[in-house]
Amino acid sequence: MIEFQHVSKRYQEKIVLDNFDAKIKKGEFFVLVGPSGSGKTTTLKMINRLIEPTEGTISLHGKDLTSYHLKELRLSIGYVLQQIALFPNLTVAENIELIPEMKRWKKEERRKRAIELLKKVNLAPEEYLQRKPSELSGGEQQRIGILRAIAAQPDVILMDEPFSALDPISRNQLQELIKELHHELKSTIVFVTHDMNEAMRLGERICVMKEGKVVQLDTPEQIRKHPADAFVAQFFQQEQADLMHLPLSEWFDSSVLYPTVTNQTTQKTDFVATLAQVIQALDKVDQLEIIQDGKSLGYLDNALLLSHLSLVLEREDM
């Protein structure tokens, strides 16, 4: 589908990408992960020729990228940015319909597609079609950004750290959304992140990068079990440690909680308390009452916490 062969990028003496080789399969969710300055965004931008390589070749469908008409190439590739980048003067409908309009879809086809897509992300078309981006939350804006990218049914979707600026709850929701859309649409997704946990959660294969080079390219399971070197192992371990600082709402849906008290000693804690704080609190009491916006969502004890977390981690290992 997409193949990089000995691709390098230099800016004068600075090497940003160094002899990069990779094959991205058709329909694959492929993740580029690494610290800042590792070359992952440069790699992504080469696919739609926002950046040209200094050396090497990149092909799409077996055809050199430079042989495609640039406008047609970019219209055939969806692109989602961290900055969201909706056009503020256009309505939600006009933003979603932008690429189909440029591809000369009929007006009724464009509107039908916009309505269909809004329903997929649980945004009521009658409420959202005529809104402007300024009337939306950050999570809603990024949903529209994703819909704009997929509206014309592209074979390839590029996503450059699309969720990193969002709050944890919105980020979690949109990660689930993009997994569902990928399963449904079968598009090839190339996704950039600096978050190893996000990479492990989303990617079918992960390319770990450092200083412009590929350190390891493999499945999440193989990277977890057999890290290529100390850098990969440390990078992964740090992300796992960071999981302890995620809010409880990242791990639990309120419907999972006990509806009533089942143990004797209880203590109240907020739904945004971190997992580490919850574990520490449960060391002192039998049960926690989980509060959100002053309302009780239910109760949590050690047995429920452990059983639920084991199911979540097992599901993400699959």
Side-chain angles (χ1 to χ4, degrees):
M1 176 68 172
I2 304 169
E3 184 173 2
F4 290 79
Q5 293 181 300
H6 309 299
V7 174
S8 296
K9 180 64 180 178
R10 292 191 302 272
Y11 293 100
Q12 296 179 342
E13 298 302 314
K14 183 178 181 181
I15 300 175
V16 180
L17 199 62
D18 188 5
N19 198 31
F20 183 87
D21 283 299
K23 290 183 180 180
I24 302 172
K25 304 170 187 175
K26 181 176 176 60
E28 184 174 34
F29 202 127
F30 187 88
V31 178
L32 297 160
V33 64
S36 297
S38 59
K40 52 192 186 296
T41 292
T42 296
T43 303
L44 183 86
K45 289 183 176 180
M46 286 182 174
I47 296 173
N48 63 357
R49 296 185 60 195
L50 286 172
I51 294 176
E52 300 286 0
T54 306
E55 298 170 359
T57 59
I58 307 169
S59 59
L60 174 66
H61 300 303
K63 182 178 174 183
D64 194 306
L65 280 185
T66 57
S67 65
Y68 286 89
H69 186 281
L70 187 57
K71 180 180 178 182
E72 295 303 316
L73 173 71
R74 290 178 179 167
L75 285 176
S76 70
I77 296 175
Y79 194 26
V80 185
L81 300 167
Q82 176 184 338
Q83 296 82 6
I84 303 175
L86 296 178
F87 290 97
N89 58 318
L90 301 182
T91 64
V92 164
E94 290 166 338
N95 268 284
I96 296 173
E97 296 172 18
L98 186 63
I99 302 303
E101 183 176 7
M102 294 176 72
K103 297 186 79 169
R104 302 185 185 279
W105 288 28
K106 293 180 180 179
K107 184 176 181 179
E108 56 271 23
E109 291 177 336
R110 301 196 306 265
R111 185 52 48 93
K112 181 181 178 181
R113 180 66 169 160
I115 291 171
E116 171 194 333
L117 290 174
L118 284 170
K119 288 179 179 178
K120 283 186 186 294
V121 298
N122 297 316
L123 296 177
E126 61 275 13
E127 294 181 28
Y128 284 89
L129 278 171
Q130 299 307 317
R131 289 190 186 182
K132 293 290 182 66
S134 60
E135 301 175 72
L136 308 177
S137 68
E140 289 172 339
Q141 287 184 40
Q142 196 58 295
R143 276 178 164 79
I144 303 306
I146 292 169
L147 297 187
R148 184 177 64 185
I150 69 173
Q153 300 171 317
D155 286 340
V156 178
I157 301 169
L158 308 179
M159 307 189 80
D160 191 3
E161 303 210 45
F163 310 142
S164 61
L166 301 176
D167 64 88
I169 294 175
S170 296
R171 185 167 65 247
N172 182 62
Q173 291 171 343
L174 287 175
Q175 286 170 349
E176 287 302 313
L177 170 64
I178 200 63
K179 283 170 65 177
E180 291 171 9
L181 289 174
H182 175 250
H183 180 74
E184 179 181 337
L185 300 172
K186 311 298 183 187
S187 296
T188 304
I189 296 179
V190 186
F191 189 102
V192 163
T193 181
H194 64 271
D195 183 336
M196 184 60 116
N197 179 54
E198 183 169 65
M200 300 294 273
R201 182 177 188 178
L202 296 177
E204 293 173 342
R205 281 194 306 149
I206 298 171
C207 179
V208 184
M209 300 181 69
K210 179 186 179 185
E211 297 175 351
K213 294 183 178 181
V214 177
V215 184
Q216 186 168 4
L217 201 172
D218 216 325
T219 64
E221 181 180 7
Q222 288 302 309
I223 290 174
R224 180 181 288 112
K225 292 180 178 178
H226 308 289
D229 61 13
F231 168 76
V232 177
Q234 184 179 12
F235 193 31
F236 176 68
Q237 288 167 4
Q238 181 59 47
E239 291 299 335
Q240 294 304 296
D242 289 346
L243 294 179
M244 296 297 289
H245 300 288
L246 289 176
L248 190 63
S249 55
E250 283 275 303
W251 297 94
F252 273 84
D253 182 278
S254 59
S255 63
V256 176
L257 301 171
Y258 297 127
T260 57
V261 178
T262 59
N263 288 309
Q264 293 181 344
T265 60
T266 64
Q267 175 182 313
K268 292 184 179 182
T269 192
D270 199 89
F271 206 29
V272 295
T274 67
L275 186 59
Q277 290 170 330
V278 167
I279 292 171
Q280 186 177 21
L282 282 172
D283 189 44
K284 300 174 183 176
V285 297
D286 293 323
Q287 198 162 45
L288 293 174
E289 183 180 11
I290 310 303
I291 305 297
Q292 185 178 47
D293 298 328
K295 297 179 181 179
S296 177
L297 298 180
Y299 296 84
L300 175 69
D301 63 14
N302 267 314
L304 179 56
L305 177 68
L306 290 173
S307 64
H308 181 70
L309 289 183
S310 67
L311 287 174
V312 172
L313 294 173
E314 181 180 332
R315 185 165 63 242
E316 293 196 359
D317 280 345
M318 293 176 63

